[in-house]
Amino acid sequence: MARVVKVLSIDGGGVRGIVPAMLAAELEQRTGRHVADLFDLLAGTSTGGVLALALARPGPGGRAESAAELIRLGRHQGRHTLSCPLLQGLYPAAARDGRGDAARAAELFLADRFGSTRLGEAVTDVLVTAYDVDRRRPFLFSSKDARSRPGSDFRMRDVARAATATRGHVAPVRVRAGERAAWLRLADGAVFANDPAAWALDEATRAHPGEQGGVLLVSLGTGRRREPMPGVPGGRAALEPRRLLPYAGREELRFYRLQTGLEHGDEAMDDPRPEHVHELALRAETTIDEHDEVLDRICAELLAGAVPAAAGPVLGVATSSGSP
């Protein structure tokens, strides 16, 4: 048996990030361990990147926050609701309705949430995608690079701000790693990789070149419409793992994709209303219920820490029906 490098990849999707947050919390509940203790690398795009940073940021005593701690149970209009203040704080209702400065609101919120913590302090490796608007190419924030390359240790608050800077919400932002570092003008990495799984896989193989057990990659989506994609057998879900086909059939990759089906009206990414976020949470619960066996299989592999040499490759997608 050889050690497996374990990777969690989280899609972008605005407040729909409560879906992967709840899926990650379910993995924690079933394994009894925090996400940062389960995975060697957390990767994310947009609010998926913010979740990755939050789950890797050292807290009191150096322990990272759990995914379960990101979810809140409250009440709204007389009924219990589930929410994710971390994500909803990035999309305040006032800014969405044109009654506030969205960029300033996001900056203040992230400064309060992440403080002065830097990328290199992450308790497990982190990869967050962004896009360099001046050079017109992807830019990757990497905690591994932050610890080994001068000028790469950005503040987590700046990483999160760049990762969520979209032209429709917050304009591209200027960030730099330190006073002597060059300024960069960055935007949301969803421009090129809303699903960062392939980039996460590349980072994992780069960071752990000597591991013989390969990679266990768990990819969490933020929801998609159930209608099939015209001209694509099996619909959009059939396309999701194809980025990884060069690795398909090889023992060194075990890939699981968990996605949630959405109904019309659930798709808004910048709607922080409690009722909308709660409906998304119900979709996530449906995914958990429908894919109980897949989740158990993932958790067993996470806890094993190694996969027997006889275990074959896995390349699969699990998508819920979308009905709560």
Side-chain angles (χ1 to χ4, degrees):
M1 295 179 72
R3 180 182 178 276
V4 175
V5 179
K6 292 163 286 188
V7 181
L8 180 66
S9 174
I10 309 175
D11 288 13
V15 296
R16 280 163 36 186
I18 192 173
V19 172
M22 290 187 63
L23 294 173
E26 184 68 18
L27 295 178
E28 291 180 335
Q29 181 178 343
R30 296 187 185 213
T31 60
R33 298 174 62 182
H34 284 198
V35 164
D37 298 325
L38 288 170
F39 293 94
D40 301 296
L41 171 66
L42 308 180
T45 289
S46 190
T47 48
V50 177
L51 286 172
L53 291 167
L55 293 170
R57 179 176 179 260
R63 188 173 180 80
E65 194 170 9
S66 69
E69 290 173 301
L70 300 179
I71 309 299
R72 296 287 184 268
L73 176 63
R75 291 187 67 83
H76 178 70
Q77 295 180 347
R79 70 168 182 169
H80 289 293
T81 59
L82 290 167
S83 64
C84 185
L86 171 64
L87 300 183
Q88 288 166 268
L90 285 170
Y91 300 90
R96 181 175 182 266
D97 297 338
R99 294 179 284 111
D101 184 336
R104 182 60 176 164
E107 182 178 357
L108 292 174
F109 176 79
L110 292 171
D112 180 67
R113 184 64 177 73
F114 290 101
S116 60
T117 307
R118 289 193 171 269
L119 194 55
E121 298 176 53
V123 300
T124 192
D125 278 340
V126 176
L127 181 77
V128 178
T129 66
Y131 184 75
D132 188 326
V133 298
D134 293 322
R135 295 173 179 81
R136 297 185 180 181
R137 66 187 185 190
F139 185 89
L140 302 177
F141 291 103
S142 164
S143 61
K144 179 180 184 296
D145 290 345
R147 291 189 290 267
S148 60
R149 294 183 180 178
S152 298
D153 195 9
F154 296 83
R155 295 183 302 185
M156 283 190 175
R157 61 196 269 189
D158 293 333
V159 176
R161 188 168 174 234
T164 54
T166 62
R167 293 190 182 277
H169 181 64
V170 179
V173 298
R174 295 176 73 242
V175 299
R176 61 178 178 174
E179 292 184 359
R180 296 185 179 181
W183 285 100
L184 298 167
R185 204 159 62 99
L186 304 176
D188 191 331
V191 171
F192 68 93
N194 194 63
D195 173 357
W199 297 86
L201 179 58
D202 183 71
E203 177 76 357
T205 53
R206 180 176 74 94
H208 303 274
E211 298 295 350
Q212 300 300 309
V215 176
L216 169 62
L217 174 56
V218 180
S219 175
L220 305 181
T222 57
R224 65 173 183 83
R225 285 289 295 277
R226 289 190 297 158
E227 287 81 355
M229 199 175 193
V232 179
R236 192 184 304 272
L239 290 177
E240 288 170 339
R242 292 183 185 175
R243 307 167 319 287
L244 305 172
L245 279 181
Y247 293 86
R250 293 167 53 182
E251 302 244 341
E252 58 263 37
L253 174 65
R254 297 180 67 78
F255 172 69
Y256 294 93
R257 170 75 170 171
L258 293 172
Q259 183 62 286
T260 295
L262 298 179
E263 300 290 346
H264 179 69
D266 291 340
E267 299 162 298
M269 295 185 288
D270 62 348
D271 182 356
R273 291 177 301 121
E275 55 267 35
H276 174 63
V277 177
H278 183 66
E279 286 300 319
L280 292 169
L282 294 180
R283 305 294 179 203
E285 289 182 342
T286 299
T287 301
I288 291 169
D289 291 341
E290 292 184 354
H291 302 298
D292 179 71
E293 292 184 6
V294 174
L295 287 164
D296 277 345
R297 193 182 315 143
I298 293 171
C299 291
E301 293 193 25
L302 287 171
L303 290 176
V307 175
V314 170
L315 187 66
V317 175
T319 303
S320 75
S321 66
S323 300

